[in-house]
Amino acid sequence: MSDNLAKPRSFKRLFRNWLSWAGIVLGTSALFAFLLLVAIDQFAGHRNPYVGILAYVVAPGFFILGVALIAIGVLLQRRAEGRALRGAAPRVLRIDLSRPRDRKILAVFAACSVGFLFLTALGSYQTYQYTESVQFCGQTCHLPMEPEFVASQHAAHAKVECVACHVGPGAAAYFKTKINGVKQLYHTVANDFERPIYVTAVNPRPAQAICEQCHWPNKYAGSVERTYRHFLSDEKNTPFTVRLLLNVGGGDPSNGPEGGIHWHMNIANKIEYIATDDRLLSIPWVRMTNDKGVITEYRTPDFKGDPSQYRIRRMDCMDCHSRPAHKTHTPNDAVELAMATGRIDPGIPWAKSKVVAALVQPYTTKTEALQKIASSLHEAYPDPVQADRLINETQAIYRANFFPEVKLDWRTHPDFVGHKNWDGCFRCHDGKHTAADGKMSIKASDCRSCHLILAQGSGQQLEQVNAKGHDFVHIDAEYAEFSCTECHTGGIQK
Ligand code: HEC
Ligand code: HEC
Ligand code: HEC
Ligand code: HEC
Ligand code: HEC
Ligand code: HEC
């Protein structure tokens, strides 16, 4: 062994290689970038989601890459030296705590590591929290999910975070969603994502178990009263209100009489069905298994196929509450709400029909829509003050409910909780589904089995409350037990 190997050599020389240098430069810049971005993120007036991603995801990623490069450089350098001194035993790094220099280096190293770990932990926690936030889901991926984000701000679940429904509990679910998210990020950047996005067919939608984290399915809801305020499309925008007493009931006999609409809650019985389309609009076959295990199969007369060729789904909350968080209002409902609350003056002649007509035209971009809404209403209402107010409100309705860039509005995602604009309940209760021993007990024409009409009409008529329920007075128009959706679409009545 030669002398010069025996004396301790400078450790620094191992860093003298281009790879480690690159690593040092990269790591230091990433660290600076990280500190700067954190400062911006903490002190900027309003938080920008992109800064958060750069600070807590991108910068640390580059920092780790830098450190890895340094390490690889050192290892390669050592290997090269070893080869050069062929035959020599590899040099071992010796730490001798009796030497003050070693103690000092070790102390500095330990302090730095602890500090770094602390920062990383803090950063990762921030990242975790950040990627769980409504801001991350709704705004960072703003274009694809803008409609869901905007719509969720005016639904009962506005205060519930996206992840409460879309990520199941536990670490496994978190990682699964984030891995899925990388795929989604790719499609967002590549700009080839589905327009509009659907989850019903491809990815399973949230499971009933998710709703049950907050909602107790055994609750007895009893009768729920709802008031629907409409305005006709005539010159006077004649008000027409319906007060319904919905028999929501419950499915657990220990809390109240079992029955009513929430009887489907799947506590004692099981309802399964198949749909012949991806949006679950057409349900030709239903199978019910009651609490005694008795099975009844219903099918429509035109369905001759074999149900096992389709995916058999178990009915759950989302088969009725299909838009619990992302309710885009129909133009009819949105305009009626604005009129009922005075944001649109019902005294303006033809306001209902003209505003709805302006909203439902086929526009390709939001900018185009907002401009054309303004020009068509200016033309219809010459008084500029009246027109401007109407235009502002109409444009606000458009922004909240129409997303032409991703091709999403009330038409694309069915809301199944009733039967007026979508077949909803009447997908099964249309009176056409029959079993070997007869029809389903609840048919569309048995209006009173699901709800009572307490009062209807306008003005004085609304004071005539009937506890047994009125027969429905359908304006002057004909209606029968056939589907309401043949005429009502949420837009202009056929
Ligand atoms: C109360 C539960 C709930 C919350 C909170 C929620 N979602 Fe949803 N989301 C659903 C359900 C249920 C569906 C499936 C709807 C269907 O089958 O039509 C869905 C569907 C979606 C879809 C698929 C497209 C569509 O419109 O059907 C996207 C995208 C989406 N949600 C994003 C979000 C974002 C972003 C947030 C937060 C701003 C959020 N969700 C909050 C329950 C929720
Ligand atoms: C994180 C808790 C949470 C989860 C998960 C959740 N909800 Fe809710 N939900 C609420 C709260 C809170 C309200 C009441 C909001 C209010 O009345 O202000 C509510 C209200 C509702 C309502 C009544 C809406 C109305 O207009 O009165 C329905 C229906 C509903 N949820 C269905 C669902 C369905 C279906 C799911 C599963 C996809 C679900 N919820 C998941 C918390 C949750
Ligand atoms: C057969 C259809 C159907 C199913 C299945 C269903 N619901 Fe409902 N639910 C309704 C209807 C209809 C109403 C009352 C009208 C409305 O809210 O628009 C209602 C009302 C509610 C309400 C408000 C009740 C109140 O006291 O104000 C909640 C909360 C709710 N449902 C949650 C759920 C949850 C959670 C599930 C699944 C475990 C579920 N529903 C399954 C149809 C259904
Ligand atoms: C997937 C098919 C399906 C859908 C969708 C559906 N139902 Fe049902 N419903 C059934 C079946 C099956 C039964 C039990 C059969 C019978 O009563 O003959 C039932 C029974 C009922 C009952 C009687 C419960 C009792 O007291 O015994 C009511 C009320 C009811 N449904 C209301 C509704 C309402 C309201 C909706 C829409 C919000 C709806 N259903 C949507 C399949 C469905
Ligand atoms: C299978 C149960 C069921 C049957 C049968 C049924 N309905 Fe309904 N109906 C509902 C539910 C559920 C809603 C509430 C929808 C919601 O919450 O938006 C509703 C809502 C309504 C509304 C208010 C809709 C609005 O926007 O103003 C009217 C009016 C109505 N039903 C009339 C009828 C008439 C008339 C019949 C008989 C021909 C009938 N319904 C039969 C379940 C039923
Ligand atoms: C043959 C076509 C047709 C059928 C079927 C039909 N309606 Fe209508 N309905 C109309 C027309 C037309 C108007 C008047 C619309 C207007 O002036 O804006 C109307 C008005 C209404 C209104 C008040 C105004 C509004 O825009 O909401 C309600 C509520 C209503 N219908 C409920 C129903 C229900 C529930 C069913 C199914 C049981 C049904 N209709 C079936 C054609 C129909």
Side-chain angles (χ1 to χ4, degrees):
M1 236 185 244
S2 71
D3 270 349
N4 98 50
L5 260 180
K7 64 177 174 186
R9 288 176 0 160
S10 158
F11 191 56
K12 269 194 241 157
R13 69 173 206 295
L14 284 177
F15 291 91
R16 282 189 206 118
N17 65 79
W18 63 268
L19 209 57
S20 298
W21 274 112
I24 291 170
V25 173
L26 189 67
T28 329
S29 351
L31 193 65
F32 272 113
F34 173 73
L35 294 175
L36 189 72
L37 288 165
V38 169
I40 294 174
D41 191 43
Q42 296 298 323
F43 301 117
H46 78 107
R47 300 184 103 189
N48 177 331
Y50 295 102
V51 173
I53 289 214
L54 289 174
Y56 302 119
V57 182
V58 179
F62 276 104
F63 182 73
I64 289 168
L65 189 69
V67 173
L69 284 181
I70 299 175
I72 294 171
V74 168
L75 284 177
L76 289 179
Q77 179 78 10
R78 271 187 58 181
R79 245 228 240 128
E81 279 180 21
R83 240 182 276 127
L85 306 160
R86 187 173 312 117
R91 200 176 142 278
V92 198
L93 176 69
R94 276 219 321 270
I95 298 171
D96 184 351
L97 288 183
S98 64
R99 282 190 303 209
R101 187 172 158 275
D102 282 18
R103 278 206 304 272
K104 220 165 26 189
I105 292 176
L106 197 70
V108 171
F109 180 76
C112 288
S113 311
V114 169
F116 178 68
L117 278 180
F118 179 73
L119 269 183
T120 318
L122 196 78
S124 322
Y125 180 68
Q126 286 246 24
T127 312
Y128 170 80
Q129 277 216 321
Y130 184 70
T131 60
E132 291 274 282
S133 70
V134 171
Q135 193 192 28
F136 181 81
C137 308
Q139 279 171 309
T140 307
C141 268
H142 61 160
L143 182 62
M145 295 198 194
E146 187 204 1
E148 286 74 21
F149 173 68
V150 173
S152 73
Q153 303 305 300
H154 57 70
H157 291 101
K159 294 269 178 216
V160 176
E161 297 198 324
C162 316
V163 292
C165 290
H166 287 291
V167 184
Y174 177 79
F175 280 106
K176 210 173 122 210
T177 319
K178 292 302 164 230
I179 286 167
N180 216 345
V182 172
K183 229 166 56 192
Q184 289 164 2
L185 195 63
Y186 166 78
H187 289 298
T188 308
V189 174
N191 204 15
D192 65 351
F193 54 89
E194 227 189 321
R195 286 159 217 244
I197 304 175
Y198 286 109
V199 293
T200 337
V202 208
N203 302 307
R205 55 188 184 190
Q208 172 152 336
I210 288 194
C211 316
E212 291 180 4
Q213 294 175 98
C214 301
H215 297 282
W216 188 45
N218 304 49
K219 177 182 166 181
Y220 179 72
S223 298
V224 173
E225 198 198 315
R226 292 274 147 104
T227 302
Y228 304 83
R229 291 173 215 280
H230 301 287
F231 295 85
L232 301 186
S233 318
D234 55 5
E235 185 178 355
K236 289 198 295 212
N237 310 304
T238 308
F240 179 85
T241 296
V242 184
R243 271 180 66 190
L244 283 189
L245 195 63
L246 286 148
N247 175 20
V248 181
D252 178 1
S254 49
N255 296 312
E258 196 184 13
I261 299 170
H262 270 181
W263 166 92
H264 303 76
M265 290 273 239
N266 279 326
I267 292 166
N269 34 59
K270 180 161 88 174
I271 299 177
E272 292 155 306
Y273 69 90
I274 59 159
T276 50
D277 66 307
D278 283 351
R279 293 196 293 165
L280 315 181
L281 291 166
S282 161
I283 299 184
W285 176 91
V286 182
R287 176 167 66 195
M288 181 181 69
T289 311
N290 74 4
D291 52 355
K292 293 174 194 74
V294 179
I295 296 174
T296 317
E297 273 187 35
Y298 303 89
R299 54 168 82 212
T300 54
D302 5 319
F303 181 69
K304 305 279 187 283
D306 172 8
S308 63
Q309 298 294 303
Y310 297 85
R311 182 165 152 209
I312 297 183
R313 296 167 180 271
R314 183 166 181 178
M315 190 175 179
D316 65 18
C317 316
M318 271 77 61
D319 286 306
C320 299
H321 301 288
S322 57
R323 308 304 287 166
H326 313 303
K327 195 169 166 63
T328 37
H329 291 291
T330 71
N332 250 326
D333 289 351
V335 174
E336 286 167 347
L337 179 65
M339 289 184 133
T341 52
R343 281 177 281 135
I344 288 180
D345 176 6
I348 302 175
W350 299 106
K352 164 86 188 293
S353 91
K354 293 224 155 89
V355 171
V356 170
L359 286 167
V360 299
Q361 300 310 314
Y363 303 118
T364 47
T365 63
K366 198 163 273 187
T367 325
E368 181 203 352
L370 299 180
Q371 273 165 7
K372 294 203 172 150
I373 285 171
S375 55
S376 74
L377 291 177
H378 266 306
E379 209 173 293
Y381 297 99
D383 173 2
V385 180
Q386 189 181 51
D388 282 345
R389 220 181 286 148
L390 198 58
I391 288 164
N392 276 344
E393 195 51 49
T394 311
Q395 290 178 331
I397 292 176
Y398 193 89
R399 280 195 213 96
N401 297 293
F402 291 78
F403 306 90
E405 279 82 4
V406 293
K407 303 192 166 66
L408 189 150
D409 60 33
W410 91 99
R411 282 170 285 217
T412 56
H413 291 76
D415 186 350
F416 288 137
V417 88
H419 52 80
K420 186 164 166 247
N421 302 316
W422 295 98
D423 283 332
C425 316
F426 291 0
R427 289 172 301 159
C428 296
H429 296 288
D430 57 359
K432 295 190 188 123
H433 290 68
T434 42
D437 58 353
K439 298 212 174 192
M440 226 183 251
S441 61
I442 311 269
K443 304 187 288 302
S445 52
D446 306 331
C447 313
R448 285 182 172 78
S449 51
C450 295
H451 48 63
L452 298 178
I453 297 178
L454 291 181
Q456 60 192 329
S458 59
Q460 293 270 302
Q461 289 167 319
L462 285 174
E463 283 162 27
Q464 286 153 26
V465 176
N466 183 347
K468 285 192 185 151
H470 291 283
D471 285 334
F472 185 41
V473 178
H474 185 243
I475 327 300
D476 298 326
E478 272 293 308
Y479 86 94
E481 66 176 82
F482 56 85
S483 79
C484 316
T485 53
E486 277 177 34
C487 306
H488 292 282
T489 59
I492 298 167
Q493 246 79 252
K494 284 190 221 151

